[in-house]
Amino acid sequence: MSLVDEIRQSWGWVGIEPVEVVGENDFGNLIIKDVDGKYWRLCPEDCYCEVIAANRAELDQLSTDQEFLHDWYMKALVSLASDKLGPLTDGRKYCLTIPGILGGAYGGDNLAIAPQVELVRFSGDIARQIKDLPPGSQIKLKVVD
């Protein structure tokens, strides 16, 4: 299954109809073009997928926004992860073991490397399960073999 198909399956519930991945960073964040020409950002560490630009011109404008670029490239976190875990290999990205939205730390022992497709699946599943919870809700993770 292609990455676009994985996004469709794992995140389609938010309304995205992906056609192409146009950007990615070392933490598995993706910029995705949809069937309507809108651009979405999928952020696995914070479990969201949302529209960031209504068209290519808005995406081009966003690409010059220093705040967006700082958040997108995550240089300090990438450097920390690279020092701790080593370089990435094909199809793998740095990640947070426990997503930030669930209280996971941005560094230290909460850093790992995982396959990109697993980050898409996992973050989509978590986001779908918690989408209706009010901020500050208590969550219990249950690991099943």
Side-chain angles (χ1 to χ4, degrees):
M1 186 178 301
S2 74
L3 187 55
V4 168
D5 290 334
E6 293 289 353
I7 295 164
R8 184 177 296 109
Q9 184 173 348
S10 299
W11 284 96
W13 60 271
V14 298
I16 188 172
E17 294 182 54
V19 294
E20 178 184 12
V21 173
V22 298
E24 62 182 73
N25 72 17
D26 286 343
F27 261 82
N29 284 227
L30 301 172
I31 296 178
I32 307 150
K33 182 179 179 181
D34 76 5
V35 295
D36 298 320
K38 294 182 290 195
Y39 293 85
W40 299 63
R41 180 176 180 177
L42 192 160
C43 181
E45 72 273 7
D46 287 330
C47 297
Y48 70 79
C49 184
E50 61 190 26
V51 174
I52 58 169
N55 53 48
R56 184 61 198 217
E58 284 186 16
L59 182 65
D60 290 344
Q61 185 177 8
L62 192 59
S63 72
T64 65
D65 180 298
Q66 292 305 305
E67 185 177 332
F68 174 80
L69 293 173
H70 176 76
D71 184 56
W72 175 257
Y73 286 109
M74 308 167 78
K75 287 182 183 180
L77 194 57
V78 168
S79 179
L80 184 63
S82 178
D83 290 348
K84 180 178 175 69
L85 303 168
L88 294 171
T89 57
D90 285 346
R92 300 177 72 82
K93 300 293 182 179
Y94 299 119
C95 63
L96 301 181
T97 305
I98 299 172
I101 197 167
L102 299 182
Y106 283 78
D109 292 335
N110 198 38
L111 295 173
I113 295 176
Q116 174 79 61
V117 294
E118 291 299 320
L119 294 176
V120 169
R121 289 177 189 153
F122 177 74
S123 62
D125 187 43
I126 293 290
R128 186 181 44 76
Q129 291 183 57
I130 66 172
K131 68 180 172 52
D132 295 325
L133 296 177
S137 294
Q138 295 292 310
I139 298 170
K140 182 177 182 180
L141 292 177
K142 183 177 178 183
V143 178
V144 180
D145 290 333

